[in-house]
Amino acid sequence: MIQGLDPKKIPAHVAIIMDGNGRWAKARHLPRIMGHREGMKSVRAVVEAARKVGVKVLTLYAFSKENWQRPKEEVSFLMKLLSEYLQKEVDELHEKDVQIRAIGEIELLPRQVLELLDKAIKKTKNNQGLILNLALSYGGRAEIARAARLIAEACLKGDLKPQEIDEELFGRFLYTADLPDPDLLIRTSGEKRISNFLLYQCAYTEFYFTPTLWPDFREKEFIEALKDYQARERRFGKISEQVHE
Ligand code: FPP
């Protein structure tokens, strides 16, 4: 038993919308970017906690497709933080058997970030521990439209027949093709929206909203979220008695 958790009910896939960095900084009369820097410490803490308790996949919404519209300086700073993370943390993550992946329109990232990301992905690709899945330049609707486009192209080429398209096949054309759907989605900072994150994959995901701002969300808060999840009954459209059969 890890910190009061049921080891048999650890969510396989946890996704997190890391929100509230700006408000954390504002409350301290600091520039917004300081909130992002502090938020990176939470990334470290939560990755380590997820690994320790045996979560298999951790997807972090690090940069949305819509985030490109933020002030230029903030976008540059976020890219700098990401580079820093990839430069400083990958060796340690590799030693801990973490496999790094990315989802989203990563080709839009600055070349230097993309190169570091590619290097990290290649270096860790055979690791069998936690999958750290970074959502970068990611948008859920764009991902669904992309899957539809790829499927249409496969049909036109004659590799696929329209009657073969079902939910399972569609899922294979998403960035998350070989990953399980998220069991738990956490959003920090009190907002209660999904903000274009993993729209297709969250059909039966449990949502956990907390007022805690992302820079204040560390191991203790992560474990609290897992405990809340473990107390829920997941029915997947069935009735309670069927789930307990
Ligand atoms: C949302 O807070 C947070 C982001 C847009 C960026 C998240 C980035 C990090 C936590 C750091 C880097 C990540 C990695 C994986 C190295 P917000 O700015 O929207 O906060 P606000 O709503 O209070 O303004």
Side-chain angles (χ1 to χ4, degrees), residues 63 65-71 75:
F63 195 82
K65 201 170 145 65
E66 291 70 32
N67 284 155
W68 290 115
Q69 296 163 40
R70 292 197 173 195
V75 171

Side-chain angles (χ1 to χ4, degrees), residues 139-158:
R141 286 185 174 176
E143 179 187 35
I144 293 169
R146 173 182 173 272
R149 194 166 60 244
L150 294 173
I151 290 172
E153 280 164 9
C155 286
L156 281 175
K157 270 177 67 191

Side-chain angles (χ1 to χ4, degrees), residues 52-218:
K52 266 198 336 217
V53 301
V55 167
K56 295 205 164 43
V57 187
L58 179 69
T59 299
L60 299 179
Y61 208 178
F63 195 82
S64 73
K65 201 170 145 65
E66 291 70 32
N67 284 155
W68 290 115
Q69 296 163 40
R70 292 197 173 195
K72 225 172 56 218
E73 301 72 37
E74 186 168 338
V75 171
S76 306
F77 186 81
L78 283 168
M79 292 301 139
K80 196 176 107 177
L81 264 193
L82 192 60
S83 302
E84 228 179 272
Y85 183 77
L86 292 168
Q87 271 163 325
K88 288 194 188 152
E89 308 276 324
V90 170
D91 286 346
E92 195 182 324
L93 292 171
H94 184 50
E95 270 166 36
K96 291 181 170 167
D97 211 20
V98 174
Q99 187 189 121
I100 298 171
R101 296 199 195 184
I103 57 171
E105 293 172 45
I106 58 166
E107 60 284 356
L108 299 179
L109 295 171
R111 206 182 51 166
Q112 195 234 356
V113 181
L114 193 54
E115 279 171 10
L116 287 168
L117 186 64
D118 272 341
K119 224 168 103 186
I121 292 171
K122 285 204 183 88
K123 185 176 174 130
T124 62
K125 76 173 194 309
N126 295 320
N127 290 349
Q128 298 298 309
L130 173 75
I131 295 177
L132 173 59
N133 190 28
L134 301 173
L136 296 165
S137 190
Y138 174 87
R141 286 185 174 176
E143 179 187 35
I144 293 169
R146 173 182 173 272
R149 194 166 60 244
L150 294 173
I151 290 172
E153 280 164 9
C155 286
L156 281 175
K157 270 177 67 191
D159 293 343
L160 198 65
K161 293 190 192 69
Q163 55 273 28
E164 289 175 312
I165 304 167
D166 59 12
E167 291 171 29
E168 189 273 326
L169 180 130
F170 198 91
R172 280 194 262 139
F173 284 84
L174 297 171
Y175 293 121
T176 49
D178 53 350
L179 297 176
D181 286 341
D183 300 293
L184 171 66
L185 176 104
I186 299 171
R187 182 171 190 145
T188 58
S189 92
E191 310 291 351
K192 297 188 180 74
R193 337 176 247 280
I194 192 161
S195 297
N196 207 10
F197 193 38
L198 302 173
L199 296 181
Y200 192 87
Q201 297 87 338
C202 280
Y204 283 102
T205 300
E206 295 292 331
F207 287 13
Y208 177 84
F209 299 108
T210 168
T212 305
L213 304 174
W214 177 250
D216 294 324
F217 192 92
R218 301 280 161 99

